[in-house]
Amino acid sequence: MTHTIIQTLEPDSFTAAGCGCVFDAFNGECCMSENRRLVELVQETGCAVIVGVGGGKIFDTAKAVAYYADQPVVICPTVASTDVSCSALSVIYTEEDAFEEHLFLKRNPDVVLVDTAVITAALAKLCFDTLMADGLEAQKTLEQKRCTDAVEHVIESNTLLSGLGFESGGLAGAHAIHNGLTVLEECRHMNHGEKVAFGTLAQLVPEQADAAELERVVKWCVNLGLPVTLGELGVTEVTPEKAMQAAEAACAPNDTIGNPPFTATPQMVCEAILKADTLGRKMLEERKS
């Protein structure tokens, strides 16, 4: 019988009786030690397919394990906030949650299986237009654990469009800035998507986004409760030195910062991070007044 290793944060929520599956819990970090551990498990049990069930780092790990074990991989999202589902790379971190490298894979996942009913229960014109139009309504609906057209639209945008865009031009800068922020220990407790949200604001700066559009995105993030300042990401004292530290890490040669339509330098990214922080603080102050 063909065996499958399934990675999940809650292995007890599944039953393996009679299905020929090997279940194993994810240790919480997509790092090389975890990848090696699971590859050894695949080889020991003779698994022929790798299945990742959960969210972003589980998927990165499942794809990396499938790559090293030379087996197909199936991705089953239980959240719609991840853009890792469709991509042909895995983001590798250290065991301390700092960005280490991108592992470029031979192909995209073999199957991406999305059950919107599962996602609805798990979550409390193109990607931008869809999120702007339906994001707030989808959030309110999900608080009631209901699935409406707005929820479906956001799921489609995040899973497909964002999944394709984050490794190309669309969100490549935002993700590189996320990776840069992981070198700041103060930011490491924040979710991946929260750091990418701030990174998106910072990416819009060197892209010379229209001021009205940039303000609209900042306001939308504020309305959704997404971080728009370094302070909201946990940085207690914002300094140019800290911004430069994140910028230099974001501009690593093996990162995706070179994919957007501008030539990135640490100085440029540093200035973009600080300007995004200033815009965010201004918006928060205006809401208080």
Side-chain angles (χ1 to χ4, degrees), residues 137-157:
E137 180 185 340
Q139 183 192 46
K140 293 176 182 177
T141 304
L142 285 169
E143 290 173 352
Q144 304 169 16
K145 295 190 176 181
R146 294 190 297 115
C147 187
T148 63
D149 287 345
V151 176
E152 296 273 0
H153 295 162
V154 170
I155 290 172
E156 290 172 359
S157 295

Side-chain angles (χ1 to χ4, degrees), residues 181-241:
L181 290 170
T182 67
V183 305
L184 302 180
E185 188 173 352
E186 298 161 291
C187 298
R188 291 180 187 170
H189 69 288
M190 301 298 293
N191 291 326
H192 170 86
E194 292 172 320
K195 285 177 282 192
V196 172
F198 179 80
T200 300
L201 303 182
Q203 178 177 326
L204 288 171
V205 174
E207 285 184 345
Q208 299 182 338
D210 179 83
E213 178 185 354
L214 183 54
E215 182 177 341
R216 183 185 180 194
V217 175
V218 175
K219 186 176 181 179
W220 183 82
C221 288
V222 170
N223 288 337
L224 279 173
L226 293 170
V228 295
T229 68
L230 290 171
E232 289 183 308
L233 288 172
V235 180
T236 54
E237 183 181 357
V238 177
T239 65
E241 290 75 19

